[in-house]
Amino acid sequence: MRGRVAFVTLGCKLNSYETESLRGVFHRHHYHVVDADEAADYYVINTCAVTGHAESDARQFIRGVTKRHPSARVIVTGCYAQREAQTLAAMPEVALVVGNAEKTQLFHLFEETLRTPGVPQKVFTSSLFKTQPTEKFFYGEGSDIANVSPFTRATIKVQDGCDDFCAFCIIPHLRGHSVSRPIAAILEHAHALAAAGYKELDLTGVHTGAFGADLDPPTTLLGMLEQLVRVDGIERIRLNSIEPATVSDALLDFIAASPKLCKHLHICLQSGDDEVLRRMRRHYDVASYERLISKVMTRMPECGLGSDMLVGFPGETEAHFERTLDVVERLPFSYLHVFSYSARPGTPAAKYPAQVHPAAKKARSQRLRALGQAKKEAFARRFIGRQLAILLEGKRSKTRQVLSGLTENYLRVHVDAPEAFVNQLVPVRLVGLTGDEVLGEWPAGHGVAVEQKRRADAALDTDLHTLQ
């Protein structure tokens, strides 16, 4: 092995996908990939810049790494590296800064600089996205088939960038215009993951609903899904966050009818007040959002429904926030992701008057999170006593040391199940709630029946091999 390398992801699922791809590249080049809490020669930190708090977390993590491991070299990439490359490069703890546009070349830049004595370069980052690199989705030969994660679900990046430029969001400035991955490449990746044994695919992107508009000829997210569901071996496909304006009736019909597409949608609302939505530069109002959710629940009454919510946007009054609480209360959300507004330099909202006091943002966030938690628990209680299928994962929970898995509508169920059934869709009976955890029970006789079938299949394979 050529050295020990640890990887850290801060931020979104898209970052997680890119980190896994980078892990795969280093692994295939004979580096020893270790967990982030272990001692390593190099630490690759994939950062987020969606809020000021996220950037602060990144700096704190960087300092913490070098404090624990003084001889380690730190490589910083991601959105914060794109936005504040020189700031990060000035930190004595940082050995190399690689921006988003250059992230696909991170391994080669690492080899050329940190592994080559006397090479002075420290920063590799573009200041502006003028073109989309053709290799934006690729991290080296075979890297998209990285299988170094212990989990049973794999993530596929299908899209990057965004053209919406909401007033509060820095991400379009850091990831560039919307660009879609070619469908042929997505299918090739999916077939490889299926061959590696993965059963569920999570599709991720910055603006997934915009998929296909930039391709030649243009297509849609629905057009891609119609082909992806035909991949043998993949039993579940899960969408990530999607914008309301991109959710068509045809897409909802297809999700509802497909046994492979998870009945789980994360449709961003952000605010329940029309004036705030307009100033955010969102492309819908509350009434149209509520009509969309009505269509979702008519087709999929047990759909897990999540949303991002942004509180404390400049000019948001208590009356605006109360309207948001009212909307969230009446809509059938099963969970919320709540963020406090953070001014991002370079975005229009950073210059808006009537910035909300931090104490007010904190209080509103707490109220909305409490409501989200109550709705999450209420959604889970609907299924107590029911038997649902979960894809059993191999990582044990820290609190109970039992296995867990997700239902198709995004309930994580903890169950004392045999490890022999990891990476299988198995039925469990939901029996109760303890805090945030949904508890499941392994149905009597299920393990015996499945094991008998496994042994019969193995015996048949042996007989066929003998005949050949």
Side-chain angles (χ1 to χ4, degrees):
M1 288 290 179
R2 303 172 64 188
R4 294 165 64 87
V5 186
F7 293 83
V8 178
T9 300
L10 304 175
C12 63
K13 287 184 178 181
L14 186 57
N15 265 7
S16 296
Y17 166 85
E18 292 169 347
T19 300
E20 281 301 300
S21 295
L22 292 170
R23 279 166 58 99
V25 175
F26 277 80
H27 177 73
R28 275 181 297 282
H29 284 83
H30 308 294
Y31 284 86
H32 185 196
V33 176
V34 300
D35 290 338
D37 57 357
E38 297 183 47
D41 302 303
Y42 307 98
Y43 289 83
V44 180
I45 303 175
N46 196 1
T47 61
C48 175
V50 71
T51 65
H53 185 70
E55 295 179 348
S56 175
D57 284 347
R59 293 191 298 272
Q60 183 177 0
F61 197 95
I62 291 165
R63 294 188 179 106
V65 163
T66 54
K67 185 177 181 179
R68 294 189 301 273
H69 310 289
S71 63
R73 313 293 298 279
V74 175
I75 300 97
V76 184
T77 187
C79 286
Y80 187 27
Q82 180 69 30
R83 198 180 81 81
E84 289 286 355
Q86 298 302 328
T87 298
L88 287 166
M91 294 179 66
E93 300 89 349
V94 175
L96 183 66
V97 180
V98 180
N100 277 330
E102 292 75 25
K103 191 183 289 184
T104 56
Q105 302 301 312
L106 185 145
F107 177 78
H108 301 292
L109 295 172
F110 162 82
E111 290 270 282
E112 291 172 2
T113 56
L114 300 191
R115 298 281 298 185
T116 303
V119 178
Q121 292 96 331
K122 189 174 184 180
V123 178
F124 294 89
T125 180
S126 60
S127 59
L128 186 65
F129 278 80
K130 295 181 179 178
T131 61
Q132 296 298 340
T134 57
E135 63 279 348
K136 188 161 189 172
F137 295 97
F138 306 101
Y139 288 76
E141 185 178 356
S143 63
D144 282 339
I145 311 170
N147 191 17
V148 293
S149 170
F151 301 104
T152 56
R153 296 179 294 125
T155 300
I156 291 185
K157 178 179 174 181
V158 300
Q159 183 274 342
D160 201 349
C162 182
D163 296 322
D164 280 2
F165 288 91
C166 296
F168 56 84
C169 188
I170 191 67
I171 301 305
H173 301 273
L174 303 179
R175 283 190 173 269
H177 293 294
S178 179
V179 57
S180 305
R181 187 176 187 181
I183 292 179
I186 294 172
L187 296 177
E188 181 182 4
H189 191 176
H191 280 293
L193 289 167
Y198 285 94
K199 297 292 197 302
E200 180 175 318
L201 302 181
D202 291 358
L203 307 187
T204 189
V206 174
H207 192 342
T208 309
F211 178 87
D214 60 305
L215 295 178
D216 186 17
T219 185
T220 62
L221 177 61
L222 173 58
M224 183 264 286
L225 291 174
E226 288 173 335
Q227 298 187 56
L228 190 58
V229 295
R230 300 173 191 159
V231 175
D232 291 335
I234 299 300
E235 299 185 40
R236 281 183 173 177
I237 299 169
R238 195 180 297 272
L239 296 178
N240 76 333
S241 177
I242 191 167
E243 290 297 313
T246 64
V247 184
S248 66
D249 288 351
L251 178 62
L252 289 178
D253 289 339
F254 188 73
I255 295 172
S258 173
K260 286 192 176 184
L261 284 164
C262 290
K263 307 309 180 271
H264 165 218
L265 292 171
H266 188 98
I267 306 176
C268 298
L269 172 59
Q270 301 294 4
S271 173
D273 181 87
D274 283 342
E275 181 183 351
V276 174
L277 289 174
R278 179 182 56 78
R279 297 180 75 244
M280 286 180 170
R281 298 185 182 177
R282 303 291 286 171
H283 304 294
Y284 53 87
D285 57 20
V286 172
S288 63
Y289 185 91
E290 290 190 298
R291 286 194 297 271
L292 172 60
I293 300 308
S294 178
K295 292 178 181 179
V296 171
M297 304 316 293
T298 297
R299 292 165 171 82
M300 297 171 281
E302 296 183 345
C303 181
L305 180 64
S307 177
D308 289 352
M309 303 298 301
L310 184 63
V311 302
F313 186 76
E316 181 190 69
T317 64
E318 283 295 330
H320 293 145
F321 179 67
E322 290 294 336
R323 281 192 279 275
T324 293
L325 288 177
D326 289 343
V327 171
V328 171
E329 180 65 56
R330 66 176 179 260
L331 286 174
F333 291 120
S334 57
Y335 67 91
L336 299 177
H337 292 165
V338 179
F339 302 90
S340 293
Y341 170 76
S342 177
R344 303 283 73 206
T347 62
K351 298 179 180 179
Y352 283 180
Q355 297 284 326
V356 178
H357 193 277
K361 287 192 283 190
K362 182 177 179 180
R364 292 173 192 175
S365 294
Q366 290 174 340
R367 291 180 66 190
L368 193 53
R369 287 193 178 102
L371 177 56
Q373 181 63 30
K375 294 184 80 68
K376 180 180 178 180
E377 293 175 6
F379 181 74
R381 287 194 188 96
R382 288 174 53 187
F383 301 93
I384 300 301
R386 293 267 302 276
Q387 185 169 287
L388 301 178
I390 65 171
L391 180 62
L392 193 64
E393 299 175 10
K395 186 177 182 180
R396 292 190 174 274
S397 68
K398 295 180 180 179
T399 54
R400 297 182 175 275
Q401 287 299 302
V402 296
L403 300 177
S404 69
L406 289 174
T407 64
E408 70 163 351
N409 60 355
Y410 208 56
L411 287 173
R412 179 162 293 281
V413 182
H414 298 263
V415 59
D416 189 10
E419 290 196 4
F421 300 106
V422 166
N423 200 31
Q424 294 187 37
L425 282 170
V426 296
V428 295
R429 185 172 293 104
L430 278 59
V431 296
L433 295 176
T434 301
D436 282 342
E437 294 186 350
V438 182
L439 306 181
E441 180 180 80
W442 191 251
H446 172 71
V448 174
V450 174
E451 180 62 17
Q452 288 174 341
K453 183 179 185 301
R454 186 193 68 77
R455 290 178 179 177
D457 290 344
L460 178 60
D461 289 342
T462 301
D463 292 342
L464 289 173
H465 181 74
T466 301
L467 288 172
Q468 292 173 350

